[in-house]
Amino acid sequence: GDIDGSDTYMTTESHNVGVRAAGAWIRAVDAALGSLEVEKSTKPIGMALTRPPGHHATYASSNGFCIYNFAMAAASHALSIDPSMKISILDWDVHFGQGVMDILDKCSNGDGAENDWTSHVRYASLHQVPCFPYEGQSRKIQGRYDNVMTIPIQPESTWCCGYRELFTTYALPFLCSKDVWEPDLIIVCAGYDALDSDELASVNLAAKDFGEMTMLLRDQIGLSSKNPALVLGLEGGYQLRNGVAGGNLSDGLIETIKALGDPGRAKS
């Protein structure tokens, strides 16, 4: 039944599905981190294609279709392997993942950056405003350790008219910059509801734009001396009909996967 008074439901199978989904994200982290000691030209990659989404789930509550927060489970797992690790979380779902920010705030132990695991995590979200959850309305850096960046996207924005500039100017440098913040692991909350065809929002990206976004992320990773591992996990994206203008969820995923497998594609 309904568990948040709105649109998040649980059935008798929801817990088991959520636990398995969390396990998939964690296994994706293990797969990527297990290959960290590789040649500079090779980028370890893991991917979890799971449902339900997770980035709206806060420290204490489920909402926005999300029951458990998989991105933060994955980050916590990675830090249990190596507490000194630096992690960046990129969220390109069209909705702000307020659950990630909430967990970073609530799970801080307040002992200062050197002893607080949340200081090892940076989070940047590009999301439509106004739109659910009606937070992150202005572009700013916030959080206990200035480790959260909110990047609002206006309705009807396209890749060429607004989105790409914000992605390259703000999100990428915040999450991975040589000699400033060089993560060991990058986790992508890969939602595809910013597609023009998706009816839950009004950003007008095409499937091919997710391929370019992925390549730009890989180019940014290539500037780092650490060769960070990369993990992507499915968040939102609800357009399943074939033949829609700009593509559907599957088309966006395919473009992302193609870009992950072809380092030269964005530069061609």
Side-chain angles (χ1 to χ4, degrees), residues 159-173:
W159 178 245
C160 295
C161 296
Y163 200 108
R164 178 185 173 125
E165 181 180 1
L166 292 170
F167 183 70
T168 56
T169 304
Y170 297 103
L172 290 182

Side-chain angles (χ1 to χ4, degrees), residues 7-261:
D7 50 17
T8 307
Y9 293 83
M10 286 193 74
T11 71
T12 56
E13 297 300 319
S14 295
H15 173 70
N16 288 337
V17 170
V19 169
R20 291 185 179 188
W25 283 64
I26 287 169
R27 290 187 68 179
V29 167
D30 285 340
L33 293 180
S35 303
L36 271 176
E37 300 301 324
V38 294
E39 294 181 4
K40 179 77 171 93
S41 60
T42 304
K43 303 294 189 295
I45 299 168
M47 195 168 195
L49 299 180
T50 58
R51 281 296 166 90
H55 68 154
H56 294 307
T58 68
Y59 178 78
S61 65
S62 303
N63 69 98
F65 306 154
C66 302
I67 299 171
Y68 305 122
N69 197 306
F70 306 126
M72 289 307 295
S76 178
H77 173 71
L79 286 165
S80 74
I81 298 171
D82 180 0
S84 68
M85 184 180 300
K86 288 183 177 180
I87 299 172
S88 289
I89 301 176
L90 167 63
D91 193 338
W92 70 44
D93 188 282
V94 81
H95 303 98
F96 175 45
Q98 89 283 15
V100 175
M101 187 172 75
D102 179 75
I103 292 170
L104 285 174
D105 180 59
K106 297 285 179 28
C107 287
S108 172
N109 60 25
D111 287 344
E114 297 218 359
N115 301 311
D116 190 341
W117 72 269
T118 65
S119 71
H120 292 251
V121 181
R122 279 194 175 190
Y123 172 66
S125 172
L126 301 102
H127 48 271
Q128 179 181 317
V129 295
C131 200
F132 179 88
Y134 303 100
E135 300 179 34
Q137 302 287 85
S138 59
R139 186 175 70 242
K140 62 181 179 179
I141 295 174
Q142 55 191 300
R144 189 182 297 267
Y145 301 107
D146 292 330
N147 56 341
V148 174
M149 177 177 277
T150 52
I151 307 170
I153 304 290
Q154 294 302 309
E156 312 305 327
S157 295
T158 65
W159 178 245
C160 295
C161 296
Y163 200 108
R164 178 185 173 125
E165 181 180 1
L166 292 170
F167 183 70
T168 56
T169 304
Y170 297 103
L172 290 182
F174 181 73
L175 294 176
C176 186
S177 288
K178 186 172 176 60
D179 300 326
V180 178
W181 177 267
E182 295 191 77
D184 301 282
L185 170 66
I186 297 176
I187 298 170
V188 181
C189 294
Y192 294 86
D193 38 9
L195 284 167
D196 184 21
S197 63
D198 199 293
E199 298 173 356
L200 288 193
S202 304
V203 174
N204 296 338
L205 297 188
K208 63 181 178 60
D209 299 331
F210 287 96
E212 184 167 356
M213 193 154 33
T214 304
M215 277 308 315
L216 289 169
L217 173 61
R218 293 196 70 184
D219 289 346
Q220 191 77 13
I221 288 173
L223 300 175
S224 171
S225 62
K226 280 194 172 182
N227 186 34
L230 177 60
V231 169
L232 298 91
L234 180 60
E235 292 283 359
Y238 307 98
Q239 180 54 265
L240 304 181
R241 288 185 291 123
N242 293 322
V244 292
N248 63 11
L249 169 61
S250 295
D251 297 323
L253 280 166
I254 289 169
E255 291 297 324
T256 300
I257 293 168
K258 285 163 61 178
L260 290 171

